[in-house]
């Protein structure tokens, strides 16, 4: 690692304090190692080896963050509650709110052995049947999330589903406003404000009430690709709550690229390899979801525009952290141009230029 990476890693974990904590809670171990996993862009993920156990540590990024944007203990609570359901998840291990250990809240879970399907080096799958199965497993697992009996698993008080979608528009507008207060001296994104107004005027007042994941997409799940693709783990539950399931579906669809779609201005936020033969279309994913859940997907323009608006919010928070020196993620400086491009895409969805 470079000196800068060493300095950033030291801000994420005090290895001696963590070793002491693990020894007190998991018993003695001969092997102890910590390394940073850099695939994610929000909460920090560390791979921890403790004796014969391969673990994952999740903690917030260092430095100032938007309110409630990185609540890892909330993430732990929902993953722990869902252990006995049909939702595929890693086993939870420990949760800790003592900031003397790593400087923040954190939790530990088992490390799964599988593949996150990404397209950095081209399409990871060669067979059309496997590509179709990846899409089917993705939407079937989302249906499993949305049909969890929240009373049975103890999550009936996990959120306030009434008015959820309108609050989503308000919350992400507040996140953008917070981020713009840190970034406006660098550049502004005036197109955001027309989108903000349209979303406020078109947010559904009534919607279904279910558990929602909050960040459900292809690269937040893991597959076993040793045979027919099988989805074995859903990750990144930090924004989960009780609310409108169609916000999850619209979010997933916003990343799902098709051959007839415009060439993306912000390639970091779409998976272009999904246009290859075999992957289901967005319409096919919606049809399968509706059949599995009994929930009708209405107001597509709103839900996908909201999804891209939320991407603008995330991107602008990434850019703010970059400007503050609180990250070394190479994606973050790209947000200078990517957020305005995303705002243009949200407007195209609103205008009907990127249909389902």
């Amino acid at each position: 690692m470079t000196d800068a990476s060493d300095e950033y890693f030291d801000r994420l974990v005090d290895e001696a304090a963590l070793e002491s904590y693990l020894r007190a809670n998991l018993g003695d171990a001969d092997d102890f190692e910590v390394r940073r996993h850099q695939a994610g862009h929000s909460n920090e993920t560390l791979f921890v080896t403790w004796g014969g156990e391969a673990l994952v540590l999740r903690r917030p990024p260092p430095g100032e963050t938007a309110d409630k944007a990185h609540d890892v203990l909330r993430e732990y609570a929902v993953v722990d509650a869902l252990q006995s359901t049909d939702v595929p998840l890693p086993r939870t291990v420990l949760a800790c709110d003592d900031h003397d250990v790593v400087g923040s809240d954190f939790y530990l879970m088992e490390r799964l052995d599988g593949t996150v399907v990404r397209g950095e080096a081209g399409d990871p799958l060669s067979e059309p049947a496997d590509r179709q199965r990846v899409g089917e497993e993705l939407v079937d697992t989302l249906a499993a999330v949305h049909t969890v009996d929240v009373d049975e698993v103890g999550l009936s008080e996990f959120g306030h589903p009434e008015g959820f979608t309108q609050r989503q528009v308000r919350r992400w507008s507040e996140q953008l406003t917070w981020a713009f207060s840190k970034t406006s001296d660098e550049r502004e994104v005036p197109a955001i404000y027309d989108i903000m107004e349209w979303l406020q005027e078109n947010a559904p007042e009534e919607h279904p009430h279910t558990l929602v994941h909050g960040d459900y997409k292809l690269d937040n799940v893991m597959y076993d690709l040793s045979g027919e693709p099988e989805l074995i783990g859903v990750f990144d539950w930090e924004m989960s709550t009780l609310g409108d399931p169609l916000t999850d579906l619209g979010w997933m669809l916003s990343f799902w690229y098709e051959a007839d779609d415009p060439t993306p201005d912000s390639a970091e936020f779409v998976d272009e390899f999904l246009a290859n033969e075999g992957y289901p279309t967005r319409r096919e994913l919606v049809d399968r979801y509706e059949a599995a859940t009994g929930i009708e997907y209405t107001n597509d323009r709103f839900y996908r525009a909201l999804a891209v608006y939320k991407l603008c919010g995330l991107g602008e928070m990434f850019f703010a952290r970059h400007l503050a020196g609180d990250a070394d993620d190479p994606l973050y400086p790209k947000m200078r141009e990517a957020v305005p491009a995303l705002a243009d895409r949200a407007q195209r969805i609103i205008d009907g230029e990127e249909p389902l």
Side-chain angles (χ1 to χ4, degrees):
M1 291 190 290
T2 65
D3 290 343
S5 294
D6 285 339
E7 181 180 346
Y8 186 74
F9 181 82
D10 289 342
R11 296 179 67 191
L12 295 179
V13 59
D14 179 332
E15 291 185 75
L18 179 60
E19 181 177 11
S20 177
Y21 173 83
L22 295 178
R23 198 172 301 281
N25 286 275
L26 297 180
D28 292 339
D30 293 331
D31 298 322
F32 172 58
E33 182 185 12
V34 185
R35 59 188 176 91
R36 184 182 176 215
H37 179 56
Q38 293 185 283
H41 302 297
S42 184
N43 279 330
E44 292 287 352
T45 299
L46 301 170
F47 286 164
V48 178
T49 300
W50 184 253
E53 287 203 78
L55 304 174
V56 172
L57 185 153
R58 292 271 288 169
R59 60 148 293 163
E64 183 181 5
T65 60
D67 184 39
K68 298 183 181 179
H70 300 274
D71 191 343
V72 294
L73 295 186
R74 182 178 180 84
E75 179 174 274
Y76 176 88
V78 68
V79 174
D80 195 53
L82 296 178
Q83 292 288 300
S84 62
T85 69
D86 291 336
V87 181
L89 292 162
R91 174 178 55 87
T92 49
V93 178
L94 290 168
C96 179
D97 61 2
D98 181 355
H99 291 198
D100 289 338
V101 181
V102 302
S104 69
D105 296 339
F106 71 94
Y107 76 89
L108 290 154
M109 60 184 172
E110 72 170 326
R111 192 188 321 165
L112 298 180
D113 183 14
T115 301
V116 176
V117 176
R118 295 188 175 99
E120 293 100 328
D123 194 335
L125 297 166
S126 59
E127 296 298 323
D130 288 342
R131 294 169 177 168
Q132 179 178 346
R133 187 60 185 155
V134 159
E136 290 173 348
E137 284 276 285
L138 185 69
V139 76
D140 289 353
T141 302
L142 181 61
V145 173
H146 291 167
T147 53
V148 163
D149 185 330
V150 295
D151 293 323
E152 185 175 307
V153 299
L155 292 175
S156 58
E157 303 299 321
F158 196 60
H160 305 284
E162 197 72 41
F164 172 85
T165 312
Q166 293 173 321
R167 290 198 307 276
Q168 280 279 289
V169 175
R170 184 166 64 250
R171 176 195 172 190
W172 285 97
S173 298
E174 291 169 353
Q175 302 280 49
L176 273 160
T177 299
W178 176 87
F180 284 149
S181 74
K182 312 294 181 182
T183 63
S184 59
D185 288 344
E186 294 291 319
R187 62 99 180 87
E188 296 188 351
V189 190
I192 284 287
Y193 297 101
D194 288 339
I195 299 162
M196 185 183 298
E197 182 177 358
W198 187 90
L199 291 171
Q200 290 168 347
E201 293 174 353
N202 287 274
E205 295 183 8
E206 301 292 334
H207 55 75
H209 296 174
T210 72
L211 177 68
V212 298
H213 178 276
D215 193 13
Y216 192 85
K217 54 193 175 80
L218 187 58
D219 65 356
N220 275 341
V221 303
M222 179 173 282
Y223 290 85
D224 178 356
L225 298 180
S226 60
E228 183 180 60
E230 178 188 2
L231 200 157
I232 60 172
V234 181
F235 306 121
D236 291 1
W237 292 81
E238 65 186 89
M239 292 187 287
S240 60
T241 188
L242 303 184
D244 181 352
L246 299 185
T247 59
D248 267 350
L249 185 56
W251 179 258
M252 185 190 79
L253 295 171
S254 74
F255 292 89
W256 202 268
Y257 189 75
E258 296 184 13
D260 293 336
D261 289 345
T263 301
D265 296 316
S266 49
E268 294 85 3
F269 296 111
V270 293
D271 297 312
E272 292 186 73
F273 70 90
L274 294 172
N276 292 340
E277 179 188 2
Y279 289 108
T281 64
R282 290 189 292 267
R283 182 73 259 176
E284 288 170 336
L285 293 173
V286 167
D287 289 347
R288 191 175 179 95
Y289 174 85
E290 290 180 333
T293 63
I295 299 171
E296 183 182 2
Y297 180 54
T298 57
N299 299 316
D300 168 66
R301 284 191 306 146
F302 171 83
Y303 285 108
R304 282 193 296 126
L306 175 63
V308 179
Y309 182 69
K310 289 159 65 174
L311 283 174
C312 290
L314 287 170
E316 202 65 10
M317 286 189 285
F318 293 165
F319 189 44
R321 285 183 54 207
H322 162 69
L323 294 176
D326 286 330
D328 67 348
D329 191 320
L331 176 69
Y332 286 18
K334 296 179 182 179
M335 295 303 101
R336 181 187 299 273
E337 290 78 30
V339 171
L342 284 166
D344 291 342
R345 183 182 172 212
Q347 189 62 58
R348 290 196 300 271
I349 292 172
I350 289 169
D351 294 339
E353 297 172 9
E354 290 195 24
L356 180 63

